[in-house]
Amino acid sequence: GLPGPSAAAYYRFLVLFFNCLLTFGSYFCFDIPSVLQEQFQGNLTCPNGTQHNGTLACVEGLGMTPAEYNLLYAIYAWTNALVVILAGFLIDKLGNRFGVFFFSFLTVLGSCIFALGSHFKGTPYLLPLMLTGRLLFGSGNGSLTIVQNRITAFWFKGKELALAFGLTLSFSRLGSVLNFFFTQQFEIHFGIQWTLWGGTLLCILGFISAITVSVLDKVGMKQLGLDGVIQQESKKVRVQDVRRLPLRYWLLVLTIMFFYNGVFPFVADASKFIQDKSAGYSQQEAAYVAGAVYDSSLVLSAAVGILIDYVGLRGVFAVGCAVLTLPVFALLAFTFVPPLVSTVWLGITYSFAAASLWPSIPLVVPQATLGTAMGLATSVQMIGIGLSNLIVGHILGTKSSELKIPLWRWQQMMVFMLANTVACIMASVCLNVVDKQQGGTLNRSTKRSSAAEVRQPVDTAPLLDEVGDEGSIN
């Protein structure tokens, strides 16, 4: 066995460190287009030194239309929604090491093809290459997050689970935030093609971490004597097990979907909203204010994780977050409170929601089906966000960026966000009621519940015996 608890703790945090690095590069890469939207849509060639009576010089770029540019994001979201279900099942069947290696490789391959595509500007090959790259990249990145969560859940269940989840989330967000600050500067000095290859390099860093995690996971499992056990459990996983996922799990999934439906589509359009509604924000300032949602969650994730590990009350927090998100959209729609107040506030409720909802999944489903459960949850979340994006686009009507979108359209969008939040409150209240009837696992603290779990070795919790008292939902 592992010598002493201190060595064991040090070991699982080592696994966590490389596990965090796994998605850092790919999240950085994912959002490069949003920072360089002008360059993606810029003109193919700029005639030398033309400045039409003091107007802006032409932006040299890849010459995409706004519709083609949006396709880069759409293809990512839809691929993700489809692939993660299959990926979750595959990971349960073939194990974390296979998953982490394979999906990490896909992100490298995808970002390579994406960067390669940029060298074909002005030819018909540009778009197909870049879309193929995004497709492979999306298949890898969404699935990688599932393996990451599964490794975290295995090493930290009954221990610092929410903290560990919080840290992996922070690292991914850190990738997005650094991309926000550095990519533009990098592009000015080295041009768009080298910038995209730089993104690929970061994905390679993730691939190296993937190999490291695999080795650590293998060695650690051997020392814990759990290697064979997991393989036995994995062999039993079948597609029909989806029917065995408990009611609490489905309520959790709905809560997650409705909460994220309010956050992501809003952040996507927030900087435009801020410019349209409040006078005197430059594009850069508006983008910073919108980005505050992620900045505050980046700063808070770990601390909130520690808090939730200590006090439990995940279900209560879920309801609380949803209720406290209501004022955010109300303030934005119907008052003139500075938008920064709302975005920071949303960032805070988002941190609490993420830290209380995702780590609850390992508590309500057996470990051997965790990949499938995470995959389904991610897929429902992606489909929800995708549909919300479409609905929001429809509400806002005009897609052209010069025109100011009238305030009443923005208010309709905020009402749609409010409706999602109300649905989230309803789902989370039901979740608490069901959880109370079934022994209140969600609101117990990990520190206290780990004592109860000692009776059963972490991962050998029987896969099929959990159905008895929960009644399968078909």
Side-chain angles (χ1 to χ4, degrees):
L2 283 171
S6 60
Y10 130 84
Y11 197 85
R12 68 172 177 269
F13 278 100
L14 191 65
V15 173
L16 182 67
F17 174 72
F18 287 104
N19 202 19
C20 283
L21 280 180
L22 211 54
T23 51
F24 170 78
S26 51
Y27 268 83
F28 191 106
C29 229
F30 163 67
D31 249 350
I32 287 179
S34 76
V35 179
L36 301 180
Q37 186 169 2
E38 288 194 326
Q39 283 77 6
F40 272 81
Q41 296 176 12
N43 302 310
L44 288 171
T45 50
C46 286
N48 288 342
T50 41
Q51 257 187 314
H52 300 291
N53 40 23
T55 51
L56 284 174
C58 115
V59 176
E60 193 167 335
L62 301 176
M64 289 183 169
T65 65
E68 289 171 339
Y69 167 82
N70 278 307
L71 210 52
L72 294 177
Y73 277 94
I75 200 166
Y76 177 91
W78 298 111
T79 324
N80 230 333
L82 291 173
V83 170
V84 284
I85 297 184
L86 184 66
F89 181 72
L90 268 181
I91 296 160
D92 278 341
K93 207 73 183 144
L94 300 171
N96 293 343
R97 284 159 230 156
F98 159 79
V100 83
F101 188 84
F102 180 66
F103 295 121
S104 203
F105 178 70
L106 278 184
T107 61
V108 174
L109 188 65
S111 52
C112 270
I113 295 173
F114 188 68
L116 189 69
S118 68
H119 291 273
F120 287 88
K121 61 178 196 175
T123 70
Y125 305 117
L126 171 89
L127 196 64
L129 273 172
M130 292 195 107
L131 286 178
T132 308
R134 277 305 258 193
L135 194 137
L136 290 169
F137 181 74
S139 320
N141 203 22
S143 316
L144 206 49
T145 312
I146 295 170
V147 195
Q148 189 183 42
N149 288 344
R150 210 169 171 274
I151 293 172
T152 306
F154 172 77
W155 285 96
F156 286 89
K157 195 170 178 181
K159 304 188 183 76
E160 308 86 351
L161 186 62
L163 167 65
F165 265 81
L167 285 170
T168 49
L169 183 80
S170 286
F171 252 79
S172 305
R173 285 278 157 260
L174 185 65
S176 311
V177 170
L178 290 180
N179 161 50
F180 229 37
F181 284 115
F182 292 117
T183 303
Q184 225 161 1
Q185 290 307 310
F186 194 89
E187 198 275 336
I188 291 167
H189 290 288
F190 299 102
I192 191 162
Q193 292 165 341
W194 283 112
T195 307
L196 295 181
W197 286 112
T200 306
L201 196 66
L202 287 171
C203 289
I204 293 172
L205 173 82
F207 186 59
I208 295 167
S209 305
I211 296 168
T212 317
V213 167
S214 301
V215 173
L216 287 173
D217 191 59
K218 177 108 184 129
V219 172
M221 291 265 223
K222 272 227 163 60
Q223 286 185 320
L224 291 170
L226 281 173
D227 221 8
V229 180
I230 307 283
Q231 277 151 5
Q232 283 326 112
E233 288 296 312
S234 304
K235 285 201 179 67
K236 294 186 217 156
V237 178
R238 304 194 316 285
V239 179
Q240 297 91 300
D241 293 335
V242 169
R243 296 214 301 254
R244 292 216 169 76
L245 291 167
L247 178 59
R248 279 188 296 181
Y249 166 76
W250 293 108
L251 288 169
L252 249 175
V253 169
L254 284 177
T255 309
I256 289 173
M257 180 188 82
F258 285 124
F259 189 84
Y260 278 81
N261 278 1
V263 180
F264 283 15
F266 166 71
V267 175
D269 287 294
S271 62
K272 179 97 180 82
F273 167 73
I274 291 162
Q275 282 176 288
D276 283 1
K277 181 170 184 264
S278 323
Y281 281 91
S282 71
Q283 193 178 356
Q284 191 70 41
E285 288 169 336
Y288 283 146
V289 173
V293 176
Y294 293 149
D295 298 344
S296 45
S297 81
L298 173 79
V299 175
L300 284 171
S301 286
V304 172
I306 294 175
L307 176 72
I308 287 176
D309 281 330
Y310 199 75
V311 299
L313 301 181
R314 293 169 190 78
V316 179
F317 273 118
V319 178
C321 289
V323 172
L324 287 173
T325 306
L326 286 172
V328 172
F329 299 120
L331 285 177
L332 285 167
F334 305 110
T335 69
F336 282 93
V337 175
L340 185 63
V341 175
S342 295
T343 51
V344 171
W345 186 338
L346 185 61
I348 295 170
T349 57
Y350 168 60
S351 315
F352 273 91
S356 52
L357 292 169
W358 288 107
S360 298
I361 296 179
L363 300 179
V364 297
V365 304
Q367 173 82 23
T369 51
L370 185 58
T372 311
M374 286 277 185
L376 260 171
T378 312
S379 179
V380 170
Q381 180 203 350
M382 287 285 162
I383 292 167
I385 292 171
L387 289 173
S388 292
N389 275 329
L390 290 179
I391 294 168
V392 167
H394 186 71
I395 293 174
L396 296 180
T398 161
K399 267 285 158 265
S400 124
S401 51
E402 307 81 277
L403 294 170
K404 226 176 163 180
I405 298 171
L407 187 60
W408 62 268
R409 282 189 184 273
W410 285 116
Q411 285 176 336
Q412 274 187 342
M413 171 185 152
M414 293 306 167
V415 169
F416 173 65
M417 298 288 147
L418 283 170
N420 271 308
T421 312
V422 171
C424 177
I425 294 174
M426 281 153 44
S428 55
V429 168
C430 293
L431 175 66
N432 277 291
V433 172
V434 175
D435 184 58
K436 187 114 178 74
Q437 288 166 356
Q438 298 185 351
T441 332
L442 292 183
N443 288 323
R444 225 177 289 143
S445 101
T446 333
K447 293 276 180 272
R448 268 168 264 156
S449 65
S450 54
E453 266 173 35
V454 173
R455 291 171 291 120
Q456 267 190 343
V458 196
D459 265 61
T460 54
L463 173 58
L464 307 176
D465 299 1
E466 306 236 344
V467 190
D469 48 59
E470 260 147 31
S472 58
I473 28 169
N474 300 340

